[in-house]
Amino acid sequence: MTTAARILFCLRVVRPTLKALRAGRYPSYGEHLRLAACDPLLNKFFDHVRDSAARDFMQRAALSDVAQALTVFDINLSDLTPGVLLHYALTARGTGRGRRPSGEI
């Protein structure tokens, strides 16, 4: 079921909510989306992130967040504006996954 759902999401047959996408815990989702999208700009972005000096876990988080934003909003990387990315970040914060804001237990 997990593999089938990941394929449907990557091929943009099914458009999941962010909560549903994050609940599935799809390993290497970003890489699967990159391969399915065949988008030269997305390939360039992935290469740039991997060639950066950022630590591995930060690279994985960046690639995962961008892939999830592209999937949830059904857009290409060229359509990922700062406003869309901010909306994604605020929505992701509300799903209860990831780091808690400082001061929360």
Side-chain angles (χ1 to χ4, degrees):
M1 293 293 289
T2 301
T3 302
R6 182 180 59 231
I7 290 169
L8 291 173
F9 297 161
C10 288
L11 293 175
R12 313 259 175 123
V13 174
V14 175
R15 183 177 164 198
T17 63
L18 181 59
K19 189 174 184 177
L21 185 59
R22 287 185 151 204
R25 298 183 189 239
Y26 304 102
S28 305
Y29 182 77
E31 184 62 27
H32 290 110
L33 179 70
R34 183 188 71 79
L35 293 171
C38 296
D39 179 358
L41 185 58
L42 188 58
N43 290 335
K44 187 176 180 180
F45 173 75
F46 269 64
D47 292 341
H48 179 71
V49 170
R50 288 191 179 125
D51 292 341
S52 72
R55 297 175 70 185
D56 287 344
F57 77 93
M58 295 173 81
Q59 291 179 16
R60 285 192 305 272
L63 297 175
S64 177
D65 282 340
V66 167
Q68 289 178 10
L70 297 179
T71 301
V72 169
F73 297 123
D74 194 24
I75 59 175
N76 294 319
L77 187 61
S78 60
D79 300 320
L80 186 63
T81 64
V84 172
L85 195 55
L86 177 62
H87 178 69
Y88 165 81
L90 294 173
T91 304
R93 184 176 182 191
T95 63
R97 299 265 319 254
R99 281 188 51 187
R100 294 184 178 143
S102 59
E104 287 189 18
I105 297 177

